[in-house]
Amino acid sequence: SLRMPNPSHWRASATVDATPVLSFVDGTSRFQQSFNPAWVAPSASTRWTSGLLVRSQNCSAVAGGRCVACAGSGPRNASALSFSALLSDDNHTSSAPVFAKLSDVVFAPHDAADERGTEDPRLAYDDRTGMYYMFYTAWSVSGDIRLSLATTPDPTSASSWTRHGTVFEGPHKSAALLIRAAPPHYLFYGAGEIRVSRSSDLLRWQPGEPFLRGTAWGNANVEAGPPPLRLADGNYVFFFNSWKAAGSAYQPAWAVLDGDDPTRVLASAASPLWSPASLPWMAGAKPYTCNMPQVAFVEAAHAIGHDRFRLYFGGADAVVGSAVVSVEHARTLK
């Protein structure tokens, strides 16, 4: 069965920061829509700078006004990707992380294959080779979407990218790469259902088989989040996104994957980590602007110790929010 196992031996809880970490309204982004970020792990090539690679658009929006559903061609409408450096620690819940003002585009549409946008990146770093692998959605001039891959030794720079084109044919999107110490490596991808593919070299992939469908609380649709992350016991936590139907709220979820066989789900959420209705900048309400309402969409995460994870996510497709999630196993629960 692709339905998720009973989560009774696992628990996850989230603490969501009260305000966005990147927002046009708050003056921390020059882009009116700044959302759906990828985590940039620090490396020698980034001069040990970490930060976020953020989907960026500039459709005019009014706080509390209509949701603008920003889309189209050109530098205002089409999505580009911009980098913002982390200026503070982000490994505690006592204060929100601080980032440099989002202003510099580092990856953008370049031909007819992505004229309408380079969207929704997920980034994985291979510390053996010093290479970052970015899976993203290319939206073509004709309206087709294709899962695409680009690599770089430094995602903070616009000059170092190599575009590898479409990963495999068909209208696929949203891919989270799990790099293993030895092949196979795994790609968890898809929206509606999540599928899994395997590769021996990280560049060549074939369409995979179904992996996850639906949630325990009735959201029929799921979509890949950031790359799975190691837990202290050797298993992985995989954060993903879920929604019931077109126009309904997007809610973050989680699953625990087997450390030896990541295609095996050991546990999953019984309820969402949080709901976008809880704060106005996820709902798309005043004092913030709205691109799409009722959205909390996770694409970035990294470990901060003791099975705690810092998550970054898009709110109302307009801002970047942040949360800390703690994952506990029955053996550690008191």
Side-chain angles (χ1 to χ4, degrees), residues 235-301:
N235 293 312
Y236 296 97
V237 61
F238 178 45
F239 298 107
F240 61 96
N241 303 284
S242 71
W243 71 102
K244 188 179 294 291
S248 61
Y250 277 75
Q251 299 171 315
W254 59 272
V256 174
L257 311 184
D258 189 286
D260 296 322
D261 177 8
T263 68
R264 180 172 173 246
V265 179
L266 301 180
S268 66
S271 58
L273 281 167
W274 68 86
S275 170
S278 61
L279 288 166
W281 48 271
M282 289 186 269
K286 284 185 177 181
Y288 291 91
T289 58
C290 179
N291 193 14
M292 295 293 291
Q294 299 295 332
V295 175
F297 196 86
V298 176
E299 290 186 19

Side-chain angles (χ1 to χ4, degrees), residues 30-31 38 40 47 52-56 79-85 102-110 118 121 123 134 150-152 154-163:
R30 76 172 179 87
F31 303 98
V40 177
R47 298 157 299 283
L52 297 173
L53 202 58
V54 182
R55 180 176 170 182
S56 309
S79 295
L81 304 178
S82 306
F83 177 73
S84 177
L102 187 69
S103 59
D104 296 326
V105 172
V106 296
F107 193 88
H110 78 303
T118 51
L123 202 63
M134 181 178 74
T151 56
T152 179
D154 181 8
T156 73
S157 168
S159 63
S160 61
W161 293 93
T162 299
R163 299 178 193 243

Side-chain angles (χ1 to χ4, degrees), residues 40-50 125-126 129-132 152-157 160:
V40 177
S43 69
S45 294
T46 69
R47 298 157 299 283
W48 304 110
T49 297
S50 57
Y125 177 62
D126 187 351
T129 63
M131 191 64 66
Y132 294 82
T152 179
D154 181 8
T156 73
S157 168
S160 61

Side-chain angles (χ1 to χ4, degrees), residues 300-315:
H302 71 101
I304 58 174
H306 305 289
D307 284 345
R308 296 182 308 134
F309 302 89
R310 173 65 69 175
L311 275 59
Y312 295 99
F313 60 95

Side-chain angles (χ1 to χ4, degrees), residues 38 120-124 133-135 174-176 223-227 241 297 299:
D120 299 348
R122 280 86 164 165
L123 202 63
Y133 292 78
M134 181 178 74
F135 290 87
S174 304
E223 186 166 347
N241 303 284
F297 196 86
E299 290 186 19

Side-chain angles (χ1 to χ4, degrees), residues 25-118:
V25 169
D26 293 332
T28 49
S29 173
R30 76 172 179 87
F31 303 98
Q32 292 216 31
Q33 293 81 35
S34 309
F35 60 109
N36 293 7
W39 173 249
V40 177
S43 69
S45 294
T46 69
R47 298 157 299 283
W48 304 110
T49 297
S50 57
L52 297 173
L53 202 58
V54 182
R55 180 176 170 182
S56 309
Q57 295 172 274
N58 248 332
C59 292
S60 296
V62 176
R66 68 180 181 88
C67 299
V68 297
C70 189
S73 301
R76 292 183 64 84
N77 298 322
S79 295
L81 304 178
S82 306
F83 177 73
S84 177
L86 179 65
L87 302 180
S88 68
D89 290 334
D90 67 350
N91 60 359
H92 51 78
T93 58
S94 59
S95 61
V98 177
F99 287 85
K101 184 172 182 176
L102 187 69
S103 59
D104 296 326
V105 172
V106 296
F107 193 88
H110 78 303
D111 64 14
D114 59 13
E115 183 175 312
R116 291 173 66 86
T118 51

